[in-house]
Amino acid sequence: ASLHPHSGPRVTMPHGDPSDLAALTHAVLGFSAIFAPHFWFATFGPLQPMFDGAPTPATLAAVKFAGGPLVFMALTLFVVRWNMINGKAGALGCLVAAANSAYISLSMDSFSFVLRGWWVLALVHLLTAVHLAFNANPMLTSAMLAEKEAAKAAKAK
């Protein structure tokens, strides 16, 4: 048996699905929080700011910090091959994030609806949760992987 890392069956990632779009969204949000936190205090058309008032050094630091976990989520959403087990855990985490985002927005506005970035974040997390929970990749067995590799080898001839 070879110890070379590429000697066995290789599993390719099914990129291009909704989790990649969620990853891109989280990357944009995360890097904007780190490098341009003032956007979180700005109005964009009908979308009200995430935070009211002028940014303080403390709020800017908190927003910059939040960028780190958002980038972490982006990388995780991009590289993990979501299946019927880990997809449920990721979905649960996204549901918590969606509920928290909605609660933050509601509590900022006396529990009345005001269109803020928090609602966009809640929607992104909700849609990501639905995708991870109900559109999981199949659990690949060694027999399935061997069959895929044999088909790939036959195609390459």
Side-chain angles (χ1 to χ4, degrees), residues 53-131:
T56 66
T59 57
L60 287 173
V63 170
K64 286 182 179 184
F65 172 81
L70 287 168
V71 171
F72 174 82
M73 283 183 73
L75 296 172
T76 302
L77 286 165
F78 186 70
V79 302
V80 172
R81 189 174 199 288
W82 299 103
N83 60 43
M84 293 177 281
I85 296 171
N86 65 12
K88 303 291 190 261
L92 181 59
C94 285
L95 288 175
V96 169
N100 189 46
S101 297
Y103 181 78
I104 289 169
S105 187
L106 287 170
S107 64
M108 288 177 68
D109 299 309
S110 302
F111 288 86
S112 61
F113 180 81
V114 174
L115 184 59
R116 293 183 179 273
W118 294 111
W119 290 108
V120 174
L121 209 58
L123 181 62
V124 167
H125 285 123
L126 180 62
L127 293 175
T128 302
V130 169
H131 171 68

Side-chain angles (χ1 to χ4, degrees), residues 1-26:
S2 171
L3 294 179
H4 191 273
H6 299 294
S7 61
R10 299 181 81 198
V11 178
T12 57
M13 293 293 292
H15 286 298
D17 68 1
S19 63
D20 289 343
L21 181 59
L24 176 62
T25 303
H26 283 84

